[in-house]
Amino acid sequence: MNRWKPLIVLGTGQFLMVLDASVMNVSISQLVEDFDTEVTAIQGVITLYTLVMAAFMLTGGKIGDMYGRRRTFIVGLVVYAVGSGLTAIAPELWVLALGWSVIEGLGAALVLPALAALVAGAYRGRDRAVAYGVIGGLAGAGIAVGPLLGGWVTTYLTWRLVFAGEVVLVVAMLCLIGWIPREEPPVERPRLDLVAVVLSAAGLALVVLAVLQSSSWGWLAPRNAPFTIFGFSPTLFVITLGGVLLYLFARWEHIREAEGRTTLVHLGLFRISGLRSGLVTLFNQNTILLGLFFVIPLYLQVVLGMDAFETGVRLLPVSATMLVAAMSGSLLLRIASPRTIVRIGFAVLLASILWLLATIDPELNDVSFALAMAVMGLGMGMLASQLGNVVQSSVGAADRSEAGGLQYTAQNLGSSLGTALIGAILIGALAASLGSAIAEDPRISESVAHQAGTRIEAGITFVPSDGVADALAEAGVPPDEAAAVVEDYEDAQITGLKVAVLAAGGIALVGLLCTGALPAHVRGKQESGEDEDED
């Protein structure tokens, strides 16, 4: 039992980091009311949290190398607790953004790379595979349990209690920090490359920001964009600028590496095929997971009218099966290689997506939906059981903080882009389907169809059909035509949801094709329980 004590603390940290974001997502309506603001403002706060994490994850990994992973983990927890406490008492929206988005985001950027390295340092061989399976399972559980816990607390108590509880949980973790083995202090403390920090943070932030805002800005034709460039939406221009900054970051690092100077990331790590494949697969996994966890709550809440707590209950099968599958990772390694397990995971995930497509209807089939969710959890759990171990076992002990930074950068980029891309696809499919249906519906007059088409071109949102009916009534649309438009809108919602889920299936197929460089040996057949990396 003693050997698993570090995992209790580290696993709790992983669960906490993931739980936080999923709780906030189901509390949007209450936050809008409490801060007397708009949904877009709260979405901006959530976006900023993701941006901070994605932008500073590499820096967090390097700080772990400079001052020690255990110490960085402790400092990150303290920073995170300060942010949680400030969030719990936030009187104004800007205080919420400062506490949750900025301070908690920076704390997470310190905690997560150190956490990945500490798990790799505390365990070897099969124990390490078990540990990363648990970590992956707890990450999935946090994503799935968050809506249930957040929905219940927000509905019956107050969302502030979640963040106050996080402070208490962090204090408990700090009291048990002695369970994590101490490290040897760095022989030579590297210096932080501030130019690389600025270039990488700005580049990643711009790419993520542009993709996250693409559904409101538009990709080419401007919609609700704050400005235009040559008459086009700024989305692609901002992504290009971010890409240029990331290219300059890579060139800067290459120059410093050639001169024998300290770099933020050793570019040589990307020559390790197992690491590259692991990072790409992690990116794909989180793109799919967060994309689906954006679409499914919309189906349950907006189309079917469920509240946050009922939505969380419907997501429980994902949590349960993902946790079981992820924690079974070491057992699976006795009979199959990481590559085979990940490929089977993607295949199971694809099957669950096809099953989910069959369940998305105006009336929910609870049994079929629950089974589809359970199968999805199995597929996600199989991926989670292997990828963290693959990434960390691809490098030596000296590079584990950097590998952890890359690991969580890939995950957060996948999470951000998954929500943005799947959301943009959903809105695009909704608009196209609705526009086509209204244009071809003989019950709708030409003037009303023209009015609706103009509104769709200006930007459409995914709202309950009652909201559409009220808007049509206020616009003076005749009741018969309004009813026809509402019916077309409801059909378009189902079509949009199915297209978005199908897009997630396409990403899963791409992920399956990107697994060729994952480890292909069956570790469980080795006589020794040791892994193959050099510690």
Side-chain angles (χ1 to χ4, degrees):
M1 176 62 189
N2 285 340
R3 77 180 193 275
W4 298 116
K5 284 184 176 181
L7 187 60
I8 294 174
V9 179
L10 297 171
T12 302
Q14 174 69 78
F15 181 81
L16 182 63
M17 300 294 115
V18 176
L19 176 75
D20 200 45
S22 57
V23 167
M24 185 66 83
N25 284 331
V26 299
S27 305
I28 291 177
S29 298
Q30 189 61 50
L31 290 167
V32 168
E33 180 179 338
D34 288 353
F35 291 102
D36 191 23
T37 186
E38 299 177 350
V39 170
T40 52
I42 301 302
Q43 289 176 330
V45 172
I46 295 173
T47 299
L48 182 59
Y49 177 69
T50 308
L51 286 175
V52 170
M53 290 182 65
F56 291 99
M57 203 64 71
L58 293 176
T59 305
K62 177 57 69 174
I63 291 174
D65 286 338
M66 294 170 60
Y67 297 100
R69 289 97 180 233
R70 187 175 183 273
R71 182 181 299 176
T72 302
F73 181 75
I74 294 171
V75 172
L77 285 178
V78 172
V79 173
Y80 194 87
V82 170
S84 295
L86 188 59
T87 302
I89 62 173
E92 302 287 344
L93 184 63
W94 71 268
V95 181
L96 178 74
L98 176 63
W100 190 66
S101 305
V102 178
I103 299 179
E104 284 196 47
L106 290 173
L110 292 172
V111 166
L112 290 172
L115 185 153
L118 288 169
V119 171
Y123 301 101
R124 294 176 59 84
R126 294 178 183 173
D127 284 352
R128 182 182 291 174
V130 172
Y132 274 109
V134 172
I135 292 293
L138 289 172
I143 292 172
V145 171
L148 179 64
L149 176 62
W152 185 86
V153 173
T154 300
T155 302
Y156 299 108
L157 300 171
T158 171
W159 57 270
R160 296 179 185 273
L161 284 178
V162 175
F163 295 94
E166 288 182 350
V167 177
V168 176
L169 188 58
V170 168
V171 171
M173 292 170 62
L174 292 174
C175 291
L176 301 175
I177 204 70
W179 289 358
I180 299 177
R182 293 185 179 273
E183 307 168 281
E184 292 293 330
V187 177
E188 183 178 346
R189 180 176 297 173
R191 299 181 63 182
L192 187 62
D193 182 2
L194 294 179
V195 173
V197 170
V198 172
L199 289 174
S200 64
L204 289 172
L206 287 174
V207 171
V208 173
L209 175 64
V211 176
L212 285 170
Q213 295 299 319
S214 63
S215 59
S216 59
W217 291 356
W219 284 98
L220 290 175
R223 285 161 53 182
N224 295 320
F227 59 92
T228 60
I229 300 176
F230 305 121
F232 294 101
S233 164
T235 299
L236 294 180
F237 293 94
V238 175
I239 291 175
T240 301
L241 178 58
V244 169
L245 292 178
L246 291 175
Y247 171 77
L248 293 176
F249 161 71
R251 292 299 304 164
W252 174 262
E253 294 291 84
H254 178 74
I255 292 171
R256 288 181 65 90
E257 200 170 75
E259 296 174 349
R261 301 164 67 188
T262 302
T263 59
L264 186 62
V265 175
H266 294 310
L267 298 180
L269 291 177
F270 292 100
R271 290 193 288 270
I272 303 173
S273 59
L275 177 65
R276 283 200 315 271
S277 186
L279 293 175
V280 170
T281 309
L282 275 169
F283 175 85
N284 287 331
Q285 176 199 9
N286 280 270
T287 301
I288 299 163
L289 181 61
L290 271 296
L292 290 174
F293 269 81
F294 172 76
V295 170
I296 294 170
L298 281 181
Y299 170 57
L300 296 174
Q301 294 183 347
V302 176
V303 176
L304 301 181
M306 296 182 183
D307 60 29
F309 180 66
E310 291 172 325
T311 299
V313 171
R314 295 308 192 285
L315 296 177
L316 273 179
V318 178
S319 175
T321 55
M322 185 171 181
L323 182 61
V324 170
M327 294 182 68
S328 302
S330 63
L331 297 177
L332 295 174
L333 285 173
R334 297 180 180 180
I335 58 174
S337 67
R339 181 195 298 175
T340 300
I341 295 169
V342 169
R343 285 178 171 176
I344 294 174
F346 272 121
V348 172
L349 186 56
L350 277 167
S352 73
I353 288 173
L354 294 176
W355 194 342
L356 182 61
L357 281 171
T359 68
I360 295 179
D361 285 310
E363 298 292 332
L364 179 66
N365 183 328
D366 279 308
V367 174
S368 183
F369 182 82
L371 291 174
M373 291 293 96
V375 174
M376 182 186 298
L378 287 175
M380 284 294 180
M382 294 178 75
L383 300 180
S385 72
Q386 304 301 317
L387 296 178
N389 192 31
V390 166
V391 169
Q392 287 293 322
S393 296
S394 298
V395 300
D399 295 319
R400 282 190 182 136
S401 285
E402 288 187 18
L406 291 171
Q407 174 182 338
Y408 284 103
T409 297
Q411 289 186 3
N412 279 284
L413 283 175
S415 299
S416 303
L417 297 178
T419 302
L421 286 173
I422 299 301
I425 291 170
L426 170 64
I427 296 300
L430 172 67
S433 178
L434 179 59
S436 176
I438 289 177
E440 298 174 0
D441 195 329
R443 298 171 297 174
I444 300 174
S445 66
E446 185 175 342
S447 61
V448 171
H450 177 73
Q451 183 180 356
T454 302
R455 179 68 184 87
I456 291 171
E457 289 180 3
I460 190 172
T461 56
F462 202 93
V463 297
S465 57
D466 291 345
V468 176
D470 292 340
L472 292 171
E474 291 178 4
V477 176
D480 291 346
E481 291 188 65
V485 172
V486 170
E487 183 179 328
D488 290 338
Y489 182 80
E490 291 173 342
D491 291 340
Q493 282 183 317
I494 298 298
T495 299
L497 287 166
K498 289 188 174 183
V499 170
V501 172
L502 189 60
I507 297 171
L509 183 59
V510 171
L512 178 61
L513 298 176
C514 293
T515 58
L518 292 175
H521 56 270
V522 181
R523 297 185 180 183
K525 292 183 179 180
Q526 296 175 4
E527 292 184 2
S528 111
E530 298 296 322
D531 53 8
E532 295 179 343
D533 66 314
E534 296 180 3
D535 290 304

